[in-house]
Amino acid sequence: MYAGLQAFMSGSQPMDINQIQYFLAIVETGGFTKAADSLFVSQPSLSVSIKRLEKELEVKLFERGGRGAILTPAGQFFLENAREILNQYQLALNGLRAFHSQPTLRLGVLRTLRIEDLSSMITLFREEFPSAVIELRDGTVRDLHQWLEKGEVDVTVTELPYPEDTEISLVLFQQDFLLAVPQNHPFANKDKINLAELDNQPFIGRTECEIWGKAPQIFEAEGIEPQVVYLADREEWAISMLRSGLGITIMPVWKGLADIVYVPIAEMNLFRTVGLQWRVQHQSDLVKQFRLFAAQYSWENV
């Protein structure tokens, strides 16, 4: 019994929200004519829509006659479900309106960036666009690329390949990779060191760093065996280990770091280009505003 109705309630039958609204209007007004007037539609259009709904449900919802539109037992059964369907639809609409009043930017961030520098930029952006919600997600270059391709983030702050595709990317700044040592380390007083001097030095490895993947090969080619004492996957951890004097490492040059000295390595010329990436399609106004803001932001202190 009510096979079509059960199929409809399970979602296997197509649902037209107008049909639900028409059905409820007829129940509330007690007749097709009054319902049509309240909905500002013609009575024939209303009747056709209800007949189509009854055909999809494979039941009669109303007894039509001189007494007006009276619900059948199947119509009574459907009534509460119809009210719930319309209620859920309205809740969904209200939720979607919140996206317009409080737009969300899903931002993917390179794990080897200092969160302090990025936070300063985001804080200023929020001051200019106070209604915007920023969702941060950090990962490797590969992670960020995959998330962007899958639409899990809207824009990324990442290392850009060379040459950059200006249609989907924007250069923000460049960073050299140098040897970072505590200020009381013997290397801190040198203008430059050779790779050979890193042999047997306590070294802080960078598990997520774009450059670290190349370092072991460079060391091996030179017959150098740094003594890895710690593996850091985030910039703040590596900086903390350096300041504690636990080791040295090769890392991006960050300005304004107290107690840390950067020393060039004669045989290495490493750098990265950091910028934004986005998808050509599905660009929201908020993404465009963020791109423009990031392009105008002063990155000199990074």
Side-chain angles (χ1 to χ4, degrees):
M1 186 178 180
Y2 305 155
L5 183 55
Q6 291 175 343
F8 185 90
M9 300 309 300
S10 68
S12 60
Q13 288 281 357
M15 180 179 72
D16 183 342
I17 199 66
N18 287 332
Q19 292 174 330
I20 302 297
Q21 292 173 326
Y22 291 175
F23 169 79
L24 291 174
I26 294 169
V27 173
E28 291 168 4
T29 61
F32 281 69
T33 301
K34 290 182 179 180
D37 291 341
S38 69
L39 294 167
F40 301 101
V41 297
S42 67
Q43 183 175 337
S45 295
L46 181 69
S47 298
V48 168
S49 182
I50 293 301
K51 287 180 180 178
R52 185 180 299 119
L53 177 61
E54 290 176 325
K55 183 177 180 181
E56 291 172 356
L57 300 180
E58 300 178 12
V59 294
K60 286 184 65 66
L61 297 173
F62 296 100
E63 293 291 348
R64 298 164 176 83
R67 295 176 300 165
I70 306 300
L71 285 172
T72 65
Q76 290 284 357
F77 174 79
F78 183 60
L79 178 58
E80 288 305 316
N81 291 287
R83 285 172 174 161
E84 180 62 22
I85 290 170
L86 188 60
N87 181 55
Q88 291 299 321
Y89 176 73
Q90 292 298 333
L91 288 174
L93 284 183
N94 293 336
L96 290 173
R97 290 190 187 103
F99 279 94
H100 296 288
S101 60
Q102 195 174 33
T104 300
L105 178 71
R106 300 170 301 167
L107 182 61
V109 179
L110 193 62
R111 187 165 293 164
T112 52
L113 291 174
R114 287 182 68 205
I115 192 61
E116 180 179 347
D117 295 306
L118 194 65
S119 296
S120 299
M121 189 270 284
I122 292 175
T123 298
L124 292 175
F125 178 75
R126 286 291 312 280
E127 289 177 1
E128 188 166 333
F129 301 96
S131 65
V133 174
I134 310 294
E135 294 181 359
L136 289 174
R137 187 176 182 183
D138 71 312
T140 64
V141 173
R142 179 178 295 181
D143 291 336
L144 298 178
H145 177 75
Q146 291 178 346
W147 296 339
L148 194 61
E149 288 294 308
K150 294 178 181 178
E152 296 178 11
V153 295
D154 302 308
V155 62
T156 62
V157 183
T158 186
E159 181 188 26
L160 299 180
Y162 181 82
E164 303 88 19
D165 185 344
T166 56
E167 188 178 12
I168 59 170
S169 65
L170 169 71
V171 174
L172 298 178
F173 58 89
Q174 287 190 332
Q175 285 181 299
D176 290 326
F177 277 75
L178 301 178
L179 181 70
V181 302
Q183 65 176 4
N184 59 355
H185 193 279
F187 291 166
N189 298 319
K190 293 193 173 187
D191 295 330
K192 183 182 296 185
I193 70 161
N194 297 312
L195 271 172
E197 296 179 76
L198 298 181
D199 197 33
N200 292 319
Q201 285 284 336
F203 209 83
I204 299 168
R206 313 288 308 292
T207 57
E208 304 294 351
C209 179
E210 310 83 66
I211 299 300
W212 174 248
K214 304 174 184 178
Q217 300 174 3
I218 297 172
F219 294 156
E220 185 177 354
E222 296 292 328
I224 299 167
E225 293 186 16
Q227 186 181 18
V228 178
V229 296
Y230 188 82
L231 291 173
D233 65 349
R234 283 174 170 79
E235 211 68 6
E236 281 72 19
W237 281 85
I239 292 170
S240 179
M241 297 297 106
L242 278 165
R243 285 175 169 160
S244 300
L246 294 180
I248 61 178
T249 193
I250 297 171
M251 67 183 296
V253 175
W254 300 105
K255 296 178 182 178
L257 286 184
D259 308 326
I260 293 177
V261 177
Y262 286 97
V263 185
I265 301 174
E267 298 90 339
M268 299 179 71
N269 180 27
L270 303 175
F271 66 93
R272 70 177 176 183
T273 300
V274 176
L276 301 183
Q277 278 193 330
W278 58 87
R279 290 170 295 161
V280 174
Q281 65 275 31
H282 306 127
Q283 290 187 59
S284 67
D285 289 339
L286 187 58
V287 168
K288 294 175 183 177
Q289 290 165 347
F290 183 79
R291 285 167 43 195
L292 181 61
F293 184 88
Q296 297 174 343
Y297 180 75
S298 176
W299 297 97
E300 285 82 2
N301 294 325
V302 173

